[in-house]
Amino acid sequence: MTEDLVYRLRKRAEIRRQIPSRKSVQENQSDRLSDLLEEAATEIERLSNIKPFAWFDPSNNHMSQDKNDPLFTPLGQLLPLFTLSNIDAGIDRNTDNKGYEIGTEEGYNDFIKYRNRL
């Protein structure tokens, strides 16, 4: 499905660049929207290749590097954890402004402390 979206974004950018009536084509300049479509496709590809370093089950506060760990709740929702070095800071996952980043070990510990207070 990701490949399909990436293909469609790139194909749309290619089509826009070939329309002879477009001003950017006539003046032999880059098309900003086509460039943005290409950039989005590249970012989707990059993010789809990132693998989590561990998994977290919020139903029992268990974290493991093994997705099939028997301590995970059978019907629990597993959340993937990523390192910050693999994900750009442009995506703000810190929605409650508590000062932790879920992608780091310190952030994970702060997250658990905050979650246990709820």
Side-chain angles (χ1 to χ4, degrees), residues 68-81:
N68 300 314
D69 189 322
L71 295 177
F72 285 140
T73 307
L75 298 177
Q77 177 185 4
L78 294 181
L79 303 175
L81 302 178

Side-chain angles (χ1 to χ4, degrees), residues 93-101 107 110-111 114-115 117-118:
R93 301 200 185 280
N94 186 9
T95 56
D96 61 5
N97 297 320
K98 294 294 177 190
Y100 60 81
E101 295 288 344
D110 290 342
F111 172 74
Y114 172 72
R115 192 170 189 323
R117 283 186 272 147
L118 296 178

Side-chain angles (χ1 to χ4, degrees), residues 7 14 18 31 34 43 49 51 55 60 103:
Y7 170 79
E14 178 186 337
Q18 294 176 356
D31 180 22
S34 294
E43 184 66 7
N49 291 326
K51 304 296 182 225
W55 300 88
N60 64 359

Side-chain angles (χ1 to χ4, degrees), residues 54-109:
W55 300 88
F56 174 68
D57 183 353
S59 63
N60 64 359
N61 290 334
H62 180 67
M63 183 178 88
S64 174
Q65 291 181 329
D66 180 10
K67 187 176 183 179
N68 300 314
D69 189 322
L71 295 177
F72 285 140
T73 307
L75 298 177
Q77 177 185 4
L78 294 181
L79 303 175
L81 302 178
F82 302 93
T83 59
L84 287 178
S85 62
N86 289 338
I87 298 179
D88 290 338
I91 301 172
D92 184 12
R93 301 200 185 280
N94 186 9
T95 56
D96 61 5
N97 297 320
K98 294 294 177 190
Y100 60 81
E101 295 288 344
I102 195 74
T104 63
E105 187 174 341
E106 296 83 14
Y108 170 74
N109 292 332

